[in-house]
């Protein structure tokens, strides 16, 4: 809503930013790709439809992403960024609960489900899976930063942060992927409570 | 290899068991379906190939399962039974570790991956998902029996057994589905250790 945020609208295109127009075209193409991949799956989307949805010429898509797999991967990475952030309010329990609630929301979307499916080993090329693995690595890295800070402040005993990440997010994936009941904040709270208590109770010098 | 096991071979068909021949035909069809579904996915397998793989006439497949979805569901239920058992040696930690190791082994197979994919909400009909949900219900029921026995004997405080099941198996699904590293017995041991310690530490009257 601020002046800064409307700077890049079609009404007042910025003139000083190098590559501004192409950056906007690329962003529209990536958004359209993410939308179509969520609807039709990775194998199903077509460049023509991407161009149409993005409101750009088909050659813009081909010129920017001659390789179909590169386009899918970049679209997924871009739209999965929201799933990779862990806030630091100083309260590790609360921050992990917030993370799990956001994760569940993201996984429940068509795009999240496409990501989940794309990661199943039997279904995709090794190249694509490795690239999609970067999304997970970013999430693990965000988790590591947050957990290390908690250890540093004495909130938690020293702990393997990727193990902790698997322990808290595994049940979320399971509940959301089954789709038999909604994942609630109370679920997140109970999961984090048990995992943090278990990590404290089993720490060598707890 | 025993006489009993060769009793049903084509060389010496049993004559006394009612429905024996048809039961064997059905078992072969279900095995062939599970194999083809694992290879080609639920949408990909064909009745002709099922008949060929099972070594039966195509009409046998159509006669026993006029509905394609019924055939898939029954094949999956039958071949997922192994994933649903939890032993009772009297040591809840050990039994859960064994369960997780078996679960990881089952999930890592092409058939396990097909099951995982079939459960993703965006990808299948509601009917099929509900039917596949029975596989999960059986697993939850097996877990409930085992956990209730542990509570009864004072090994664990009173606990929601389906929550406990989600807590221990969620991380297994996550690790196996990512496929970036093997799931080991040490992983299972660490998961069960943290979850049981966490449940004991957070129990109201622990």
């Amino acid at each position: 809503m601020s002046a800064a945020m409307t700077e890049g609208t079609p009404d007042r295109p910025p003139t000083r930013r190098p590559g501004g127009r192409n950056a906007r075209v690329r962003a529209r193409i990536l958004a359209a790709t993410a939308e179509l991949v969520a609807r039709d799956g990775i194998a199903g989307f077509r460049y023509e439809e991407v161009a149409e949805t993005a409101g750009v010429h088909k050659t813009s898509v081909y010129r920017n992403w001659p390789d179909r797999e590169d386009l899918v991967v970049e679209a997924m990475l871009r739209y999965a960024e929201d799933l990779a952030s862990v806030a630091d309010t100083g309260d590790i329990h609360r921050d992990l609960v917030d993370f799990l609630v956001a994760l569940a929301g993201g996984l429940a979307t068509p795009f999240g489900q496409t990501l989940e499916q794309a990661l199943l080993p039997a279904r995709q090329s090794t190249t694509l899976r490795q690239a999609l693995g970067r999304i997970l690595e970013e999430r693990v890295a965000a988790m590591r930063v947050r957990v290390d800070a908690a250890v540093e402040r004495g909130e938690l005993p020293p702990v393997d942060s990727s193990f902790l990440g698997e322990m808290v997010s595994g049940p979320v994936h399971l509940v959301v992927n089954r789709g038999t009941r909604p994942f609630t904040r109370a679920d997140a709270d109970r999961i984090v409570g048990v995992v943090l208590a278990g990590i404290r109770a089993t720490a060598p010098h707890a």
Side-chain angles (χ1 to χ4, degrees), chain A:
Chain A
M1 297 297 186
S2 70
M5 284 187 71
T6 57
E7 196 184 3
T9 62
D11 297 330
R12 297 199 305 153
T15 49
R16 299 278 173 83
R17 201 160 33 136
R21 188 178 177 284
N22 195 47
R24 289 196 307 281
V25 165
R26 288 174 63 94
R28 288 217 300 268
I29 292 171
L30 291 175
T33 303
E35 188 185 325
L36 292 171
V37 164
R39 197 190 69 189
D40 303 330
I42 286 175
F45 86 94
R46 295 183 306 120
Y47 270 47
E48 267 178 23
E49 268 191 298
V50 169
E52 204 177 306
T53 307
V56 304
H57 200 275
K58 203 168 70 176
T59 51
S60 292
V61 187
Y62 282 109
R63 196 180 55 233
N64 280 285
W65 287 278
D67 186 281
R68 182 188 170 87
E69 220 163 67
D70 288 344
L71 174 56
V72 173
V73 167
E74 201 169 331
M76 289 195 150
L77 285 172
R78 180 133 175 172
Y79 286 85
E81 274 167 16
D82 291 349
L83 297 180
S85 82
V86 188
D88 188 351
T89 66
D91 178 346
I92 184 72
H93 181 105
R94 176 183 159 181
D95 292 343
L96 289 176
V97 169
D98 285 342
F99 168 73
L100 295 191
V101 170
L103 175 64
L107 288 175
T109 64
F111 183 71
Q113 288 295 302
T114 302
L115 264 181
E116 287 288 280
Q117 186 182 46
L119 285 163
L120 290 176
R123 296 293 158 209
Q124 301 295 338
S125 74
T126 308
T127 320
L128 188 54
R129 275 185 47 235
Q130 285 175 341
L132 292 170
R134 297 210 310 259
I135 294 173
L136 298 171
E137 280 165 26
E138 280 177 28
R139 204 185 295 165
V140 170
M143 180 67 74
R144 181 171 301 131
V145 169
R146 181 62 190 89
V147 170
D148 286 352
V151 171
E152 187 91 1
R153 292 174 206 143
E155 262 196 297
L156 281 180
V159 59
D160 174 346
S161 55
S162 61
F163 171 67
L164 191 154
E166 287 166 7
M167 288 300 301
V168 295
S169 59
V172 180
H173 285 260
L174 197 66
V175 170
V176 175
N177 289 348
R178 282 180 188 178
T180 47
R181 64 178 175 89
F183 184 88
T184 66
R185 189 165 192 93
D187 290 319
D189 190 57
R190 190 153 72 145
I191 291 168
V192 172
V194 165
V195 171
L196 294 187
I199 280 173
R200 288 179 180 125
T202 57
H205 308 286

